[in-house]
Amino acid sequence: MATLPFSAAQSSSVSGFNYRARHSNLFFVRAPRFFNRFKRTNLSVKNIASDQRQELKDPSVNGEASLETLEPDSASIAASIQYHAEFTPLFSPEHFDLPKAFVATAESVRDSLIINWNATYKYYEKMNVKQAYYLSMEYLQGRALLNAIGNLELSGAYADALRKLGHELEDIAGQEPDAALGNGGLGRLASCFLDSLATLNYPAWGYGLRYKYGLFKQLITKDGQEEVAENWLEMGNPWEIVRNDVSYSVKFYGEVISKPDGSKEWIGGENITAVAYDVPIPGYKSKTTINLRLWSTKVAPNEFDLRAYNAGDHAKACAALKNAEKICYILYPGDESTEGKILRLKQQYTLCSASLQDIFAHFERRSGKPVNWENFPDKVAVQMNDTHPTLCIPELIRILIDLKGLSWKESWYITQRTIAYTNHTVLPEALEKWSFDLLQKLLPRHVEIIRMIDEELIHTIIAEYGTEDLDLLQHKLKQMRILDNIELPDSVLELLVKQEESSSVDSIKEVKVSDAETESTDEEQSEEQDTDAKDVVTFDPDPNLPKMVRMANLCVVGGHAVNGVAEIHSEIVKNEVFNEFYKLWPEKFQNKTNGVTPRRWIRFCNPDLSKIITKWTGTDDWVLNTEKLSTLAEFSDNEDLQSEWREAKKRNKIKVADFLKEKTGYIVNPDAMFDVQVKRIHEYKRQLLNIMGIVYRYKKMKEMSSEERKARYVPRVCIFGGKAFATYVQAKRIVKFITDVGTTVNHDADIGDLLKVVFVPDYNVSVAEVLIPGSELSQHISTAGMEASGTSNMKFAMNGCILIGTLDGANVEIRQEVGEDNFFLFGAEAHEIAGLRKERAEGKFIPDPRFEEVKAFVRNGVFGHYNYEELMGSLEGNEGYGRADYFLVGKDFPSYVECQERVDEAYKDQKVSSIC
């Protein structure tokens, strides 16, 4: 079995990709720009005033903190582990078993991290650097042990030390649960950012929430997906350092009062306390160790109602405590109920308020007395990862005006220079909108400030476009206002009234006309009145529609930069999602294509491949300077390299096969093609298209003789993984469908090893670290224009895996990097999607017979007794909610099936003469 799954020894191009010798450098010669995307597009810590990027060195340089003498050997490491096992135990002292050994090992690593962490921030404090603060609702970190000791260059020393103590490093690392702080690409990007920031010696800090139960742990049963609470904190988290001395009060509800001097004060309401938990993030081959500060919520002891408790009303006594603690129970709690919406808003505001209070404390401490607030944007950069931290904008203004005594003008100017926003989606439901009434009830002072920002925006729009063309003005306000379906501010109404009066005066003329000229019939007068009525432009709210606050619009208005996360996505952001804002402020919009860290995603998770790359490039500098990978081009036709590469992939596939057996019970053949789609389950990501293609494949296999099947089809193991949000019914139907197909196919003796379908439960970073190195085909098949970027596509490509996908997100740039012949492309393009949906709505779409064949096959009950009518029905009809195949599965199905046939043909040639 070829490690690089497809051959370059073809005399002519196979449609989809071509592996001739002249393309021998396709992945690794073109890869440096792709690999090093983080280096090019990392958070830019800029001084707005001077527009000069800071260049900071490793804090151990220039005698700031001499850490070079503290490099431990295996003996000192073993002693440190033994010390922690005895004196800082979380387990009973009798046995040094695996769980206890992991905690003791992690605590010994943490000692080194704390030394570097202290040196890093001592240096930053002394230099009074500008610092980036990255706010994200999720961080999908994965396990920390191997990453930390790898970045510290202590993997060998720790392996030796643990061996002396009777354990293997791999077994110890397997004891660590994944930190349940994230769900998908948004959180994984945030974690990769922190790794990269530390590695590149940027002064930075991450902020998030410390979720006790995570999103959920996914179980796969006969009923599909089931959710139970994560237990990652059950045995404690050895990486975190609780900072009981770092806590901030966060307020909800209450009222706003005006003081005699005209200032405002937010009083009363519900108060909770946010307490800091710090997690050190080490850089690779650097002493720089930055911080991820996570907030946990509680209340002050005086909030405990001791009288109620002693009276037997225990629920009342603990109500305030439970109300505070539940803010950090779950990532993305269900928000279909009012209570769920309130909880989500509380989460978002807690993150923003506690983090900004902490940022202000840093700034004031470093600035000394008196504080010059004009310098705030020169020392602070706040990056909002999607719309969840939007409340940073009114909160920053509130602190500056209400607590620091600045004027509105000063505060607004500082805020716009400090805040930047990363957009991660074009999906309308993901561009957050909150009920105005709910927000006003929960955060009354912030709604006042949002009204002021909205008013500022309207005046900016009027200054740009005037009031002469009211139709144009109405259109602009409808698209751009932060407050949706809410009356215009008085200052704007006054402008419009003045404009109307001015227009009326200008239109008064003394004109003599004859009676004949002024006569008109009643019918003509009626027609004129109707025309006049149609021409009336109203700015009044519609009483039948809800009043909403558009958080994405607030992000664009309140900051100095807006970035998309892939070239195609950034163009959609400019031309569609925020087009009116782009016309007004084109300088705000930019692209920052997502990236992933090659440390975790090649160096540590794929050591076999890493050793080969290091051997043939002659250095391990490629982990930091990925341009050095181009050296591999010189050896692309070397049979020794090809053989080593194949063997590395085979070993990784065997690991995947063992893993699948352990997690699912299914036995798969490592000589089959490993075809993988692992990502959050969502209709736009089109796991449904993948499984429908598999069903078509299975049906065709069943119609053939055994000899025909073996001649026609390449053996495949189709691997799925990902979580469907707990209340996302259609996504959970897709999970159920995949598992039902797997149950049928995997037990079909006629098919045998020609086709297996496996759903891996509870997909997370640690699972990805096993699956990705052993994959050969990876599916990134979202409806074009709907995936902002994707990062798993990068991870698969980095590990020598071929992609099949649409021209969507980062697929476009990956295809440019690896070459068009090395990417299986299918499907409609982004600019065609609107027209195709219109065609569908008009009843003009004619489905492919193969697609109809698959739906009928499913409806015949081949895959069990579950009623898939709702799922199949969503792919039918021309209009209506949950109908009309909005994500174009049927449209792209024939192109997808034909592309998969090209994959089969290419895979049959296992002679490798190039590096993909």
Side-chain angles (χ1 to χ4, degrees):
M1 172 58 59
T3 304
L4 301 182
F6 307 106
S7 173
Q10 298 158 220
S11 59
S12 62
S13 174
V14 176
S15 181
F17 64 94
N18 182 0
Y19 281 91
R20 290 171 290 186
R22 68 186 179 87
H23 289 311
S24 62
N25 62 345
L26 278 174
F27 183 71
F28 282 110
V29 170
R30 295 176 182 170
R33 184 162 66 91
F34 163 66
F35 261 114
N36 214 33
R37 185 81 65 187
F38 244 66
K39 193 170 182 179
R40 293 196 307 115
T41 63
N42 210 349
L43 271 178
S44 185
V45 185
K46 301 177 83 175
N47 182 310
I48 301 300
S50 63
D51 201 38
Q52 296 295 312
R53 196 162 100 169
Q54 296 176 128
E55 297 295 338
L56 290 178
K57 298 180 179 179
D58 186 307
S60 63
V61 174
N62 298 327
E64 291 298 333
S66 181
L67 304 177
E68 300 301 327
T69 59
L70 300 178
E71 295 293 348
D73 56 18
S74 61
S76 62
I77 288 173
S80 173
I81 294 172
Q82 288 176 309
Y83 170 84
H84 282 290
E86 183 173 358
F87 293 106
T88 56
L90 295 177
F91 301 86
S92 56
E94 286 81 8
H95 302 289
F96 189 64
D97 54 9
L98 285 172
K100 183 174 183 178
F102 159 67
V103 173
T105 302
E107 287 173 334
S108 78
V109 177
R110 194 184 70 177
D111 289 347
S112 296
L113 297 182
I114 291 174
I115 292 169
N116 292 352
W117 189 94
N118 288 334
T120 299
Y121 281 95
K122 179 182 178 182
Y123 179 70
Y124 291 166
E125 291 279 332
K126 179 178 179 179
M127 300 300 293
N128 191 18
V129 297
K130 181 173 185 179
Q131 189 161 324
Y133 298 95
Y134 194 77
L135 271 65
S136 179
M137 284 298 287
E138 44 173 308
Y139 291 88
L140 196 60
Q141 291 179 286
R143 292 170 174 165
L145 178 59
L146 293 181
N147 192 75
I149 63 175
N151 279 0
L152 291 169
E153 300 181 272
L154 294 175
S155 299
Y158 266 90
D160 291 343
L162 286 166
R163 206 169 289 120
K164 292 174 182 176
L165 297 174
H167 291 296
E168 294 296 322
L169 176 58
E170 185 176 345
D171 296 332
I172 296 296
Q175 294 296 306
E176 181 177 5
D178 277 39
L181 299 171
N183 175 38
L186 184 81
R188 187 53 235 169
L189 174 72
S191 295
C192 280
F193 258 130
L194 295 186
D195 177 278
S196 185
L197 287 163
T199 298
L200 296 174
N201 299 317
Y202 278 96
W205 205 309
Y207 283 109
L209 296 182
R210 182 180 179 267
Y211 303 106
K212 185 174 183 179
Y213 302 117
L215 183 72
F216 58 81
K217 182 185 287 290
Q218 181 192 54
L219 306 179
I220 299 298
T221 69
K222 62 182 178 60
D223 298 317
Q225 172 181 294
E226 293 186 9
E227 306 89 24
V228 298
E230 282 274 13
N231 62 349
W232 74 290
L233 289 174
E234 192 71 14
M235 303 304 291
N237 177 12
W239 302 108
E240 68 185 14
I241 305 152
V242 61
R243 303 292 194 190
N244 288 313
D245 59 326
V246 181
S247 63
Y248 300 97
S249 178
V250 179
K251 181 187 292 294
F252 306 106
Y253 304 110
E255 61 177 329
V256 180
I257 62 171
S258 296
K259 296 181 179 179
D261 61 359
S263 62
K264 298 290 186 74
E265 184 179 2
W266 183 19
I267 62 170
E270 171 189 317
N271 292 283
I272 66 161
T273 300
V275 181
Y277 285 72
D278 287 347
V279 180
I281 308 294
Y284 177 71
K285 289 190 175 183
S286 168
K287 299 302 179 183
T288 297
T289 300
I290 64 173
N291 193 43
L292 170 60
R293 176 157 285 180
L294 303 171
W295 300 108
S296 186
T297 45
K298 65 177 187 178
V299 291
N302 59 10
E303 295 288 338
F304 181 76
D305 192 338
L306 188 60
R307 179 173 296 180
Y309 189 85
N310 288 328
D313 194 348
H314 301 149
K316 180 182 177 183
C318 300
L321 176 63
K322 293 300 181 185
N323 205 34
E325 287 181 343
K326 71 180 181 181
I327 292 172
C328 290
Y329 276 170
I330 297 292
L331 169 64
Y332 302 140
D335 60 354
E336 294 184 349
S337 65
T338 300
E339 291 77 10
K341 290 180 174 65
I342 290 172
L343 186 55
R344 280 226 192 177
L345 271 172
K346 281 186 171 183
Q347 286 185 333
Q348 293 184 6
Y349 180 61
T350 297
L351 170 64
C352 295
S353 180
S355 301
L356 279 172
Q357 290 182 68
D358 201 40
I359 291 168
F360 270 87
H362 291 173
F363 176 76
E364 290 181 287
R365 184 177 65 250
R366 293 178 183 180
S367 297
K369 300 290 184 179
V371 176
N372 184 351
W373 292 105
E374 290 183 2
N375 292 338
F376 191 80
D378 300 333
K379 295 297 182 181
V380 173
V382 175
Q383 186 74 33
M384 301 186 300
N385 193 27
D386 216 352
T387 54
H388 307 125
T390 306
L391 289 168
C392 277
I393 295 169
E395 176 69 358
L396 179 53
I397 295 172
R398 182 189 74 83
I399 294 173
L400 289 171
I401 293 178
D402 295 357
L403 303 183
K404 307 304 178 185
L406 274 67
S407 68
W408 159 256
K409 184 177 180 180
E410 292 170 322
S411 302
W412 179 230
Y413 181 61
I414 289 170
T415 299
Q416 285 191 302
R417 295 171 65 214
T418 301
I419 301 284
Y421 160 54
T422 298
N423 173 272
H424 280 277
T425 185
V426 300
L427 297 178
E429 67 269 22
L431 294 172
E432 286 188 304
K433 297 180 180 180
W434 288 107
S435 163
F436 176 84
D437 294 334
L438 181 61
L439 199 58
Q440 188 169 47
K441 179 182 178 183
L442 189 69
L443 300 169
R445 178 57 176 144
H446 296 75
V447 168
E448 288 186 352
I449 293 169
I450 291 171
R451 279 187 178 276
M452 295 167 72
I453 298 172
D454 187 61
E455 183 174 358
E456 188 85 20
L457 170 65
I458 295 171
H459 281 289
T460 300
I461 294 170
I462 290 174
E464 180 72 18
Y465 298 105
T467 56
E468 290 78 12
D469 188 339
L470 292 181
D471 287 316
L472 175 64
L473 181 60
Q474 184 189 50
H475 170 76
K476 296 290 182 183
L477 295 182
K478 185 176 181 180
Q479 295 295 315
M480 300 174 71
R481 281 195 69 186
I482 297 163
L483 300 178
D484 185 28
N485 199 41
I486 293 176
E487 66 282 350
L488 291 172
D490 291 341
S491 63
V492 176
L493 290 174
E494 289 174 6
L495 275 178
L496 294 177
V497 169
K498 289 179 181 178
Q499 172 64 29
E500 184 178 358
E501 291 174 350
S502 175
S503 299
S504 299
V505 170
D506 291 343
S507 64
I508 296 174
K509 299 179 181 178
E510 294 182 3
V511 181
K512 295 183 179 180
V513 293
S514 64
D515 291 342
E517 291 174 322
T518 58
E519 288 180 356
S520 62
T521 64
D522 290 343
E523 183 178 348
E524 289 171 335
Q525 290 176 355
S526 177
E527 288 177 357
E528 289 173 0
Q529 289 171 359
D530 288 344
T531 301
D532 290 342
K534 291 177 184 177
D535 289 341
V536 171
V537 177
T538 178
F539 294 90
D540 294 334
D542 186 336
N544 298 314
L545 296 176
K547 298 179 177 180
M548 306 297 289
V549 180
R550 298 190 280 200
M551 307 304 269
N553 287 18
L554 179 53
C555 287
V556 176
V557 176
H560 62 84
V562 179
N563 73 277
V565 290
E567 287 179 359
I568 186 174
H569 170 240
S570 294
E571 290 304 306
I572 293 171
V573 164
K574 291 190 294 186
N575 298 327
E576 297 178 28
V577 181
F578 297 126
N579 182 244
E580 296 297 342
F581 290 106
Y582 176 64
K583 292 175 182 176
L584 182 62
W585 297 308
E587 70 282 356
K588 278 192 180 187
F589 291 82
Q590 52 187 265
N591 177 59
K592 293 284 184 292
T593 298
N594 280 349
V596 298
T597 165
R599 272 76 64 187
R600 180 180 288 271
W601 294 111
I602 303 182
R603 178 68 180 83
F604 303 143
C605 80
N606 198 344
D608 287 345
L609 178 59
S610 297
K611 289 174 184 175
I612 292 170
I613 296 173
T614 297
K615 173 184 173 181
W616 289 87
T617 59
T619 177
D620 65 356
D621 288 350
W622 60 269
V623 182
L624 286 172
N625 302 308
T626 49
E627 293 85 356
K628 293 183 182 293
L629 291 166
S630 59
T631 308
L632 287 173
E634 301 171 18
F635 312 104
S636 58
D637 295 320
N638 187 292
E639 292 184 1
D640 291 337
L641 172 57
Q642 293 169 16
S643 176
E644 291 174 19
W645 200 285
R646 284 193 296 268
E647 287 303 313
K649 180 66 77 173
K650 182 64 176 290
R651 287 192 294 272
N652 285 326
K653 291 179 69 179
I654 292 171
K655 290 178 183 177
V656 172
D658 292 343
F659 177 81
L660 295 179
K661 182 180 178 181
E662 176 190 347
K663 294 297 181 181
T664 70
Y666 288 128
I667 299 174
V668 301
N669 181 3
D671 289 330
M673 182 201 303
F674 281 14
D675 173 353
V676 183
Q677 187 181 22
V678 283
K679 53 185 74 228
R680 181 167 53 94
I681 308 296
H682 198 291
E683 288 171 278
Y684 87 83
K685 292 179 183 288
R686 298 203 295 190
Q687 287 91 351
L688 184 55
L689 174 60
N690 186 351
I691 194 63
M692 294 287 276
I694 292 170
V695 170
Y696 178 76
R697 186 184 189 88
Y698 175 64
K699 183 177 185 298
K700 291 305 169 186
M701 283 182 173
K702 294 293 288 182
E703 294 170 355
M704 297 177 181
S705 67
S706 176
E707 291 74 18
E708 288 173 327
R709 284 194 290 267
K710 290 178 181 178
R712 172 76 181 274
Y713 291 103
V714 166
R716 280 204 200 200
V717 178
C718 301
I719 302 170
F720 292 84
K723 296 180 180 180
F725 190 65
T727 58
Y728 190 174
V729 175
Q730 190 74 331
K732 295 178 77 170
R733 289 190 185 115
I734 293 170
V735 174
K736 169 66 174 166
F737 184 34
I738 293 169
T739 57
D740 281 352
V741 171
T743 299
T744 300
V745 171
N746 297 344
H747 292 92
D748 191 324
D750 292 338
I751 302 302
D753 283 343
L754 268 182
L755 183 63
K756 297 293 184 184
V757 180
V758 183
F759 192 101
V760 181
D762 205 37
Y763 179 67
N764 57 23
V765 172
S766 295
V767 174
E769 290 171 346
V770 176
L771 296 181
I772 290 174
S775 62
E776 294 171 300
L777 182 75
S778 181
Q779 306 214 26
H780 304 273
I781 57 177
S782 52
T783 311
M786 302 198 75
E787 182 72 85
S789 173
T791 55
S792 65
N793 45 11
M794 303 175 190
K795 297 161 195 165
F796 281 99
M798 290 161 68
N799 282 272
C801 178
I802 302 301
L803 308 189
I804 179 172
T806 54
L807 283 178
D808 197 25
N811 282 1
V812 177
E813 291 157 82
I814 292 174
R815 184 167 175 259
Q816 292 168 357
E817 299 285 352
V818 303
E820 294 180 4
D821 293 333
N822 299 292
F823 186 103
F824 285 104
L825 178 66
F826 76 94
E829 297 185 21
H831 68 272
E832 301 175 295
I833 301 302
L836 291 170
R837 287 179 177 145
K838 183 174 183 289
E839 178 186 272
R840 181 79 182 227
E842 293 171 350
K844 298 177 182 178
F845 173 69
I846 300 174
D848 187 271
R850 291 167 289 186
F851 189 60
E852 297 300 290
E853 187 181 336
V854 171
K855 290 189 294 179
F857 191 60
V858 173
R859 283 175 163 136
N860 285 339
V862 176
F863 303 109
H865 301 296
Y866 185 85
N867 185 357
Y868 282 108
E869 191 56 41
E870 287 287 341
L871 191 59
M872 295 299 105
S874 70
L875 305 173
E876 299 173 337
N878 298 325
E879 58 183 2
Y881 179 76
R883 303 277 293 177
D885 193 12
Y886 183 78
F887 300 98
L888 303 181
V889 174
K891 174 63 181 178
D892 280 350
F893 184 80
S895 175
Y896 176 71
V897 168
E898 291 157 11
C899 192
Q900 288 284 15
E901 290 171 355
R902 297 198 297 273
V903 171
D904 273 359
E905 288 303 311
Y907 194 81
K908 289 175 182 177
D909 190 342
Q910 289 291 298
K911 181 173 168 41
V912 178
S913 61
S914 70
I915 294 175
C916 59

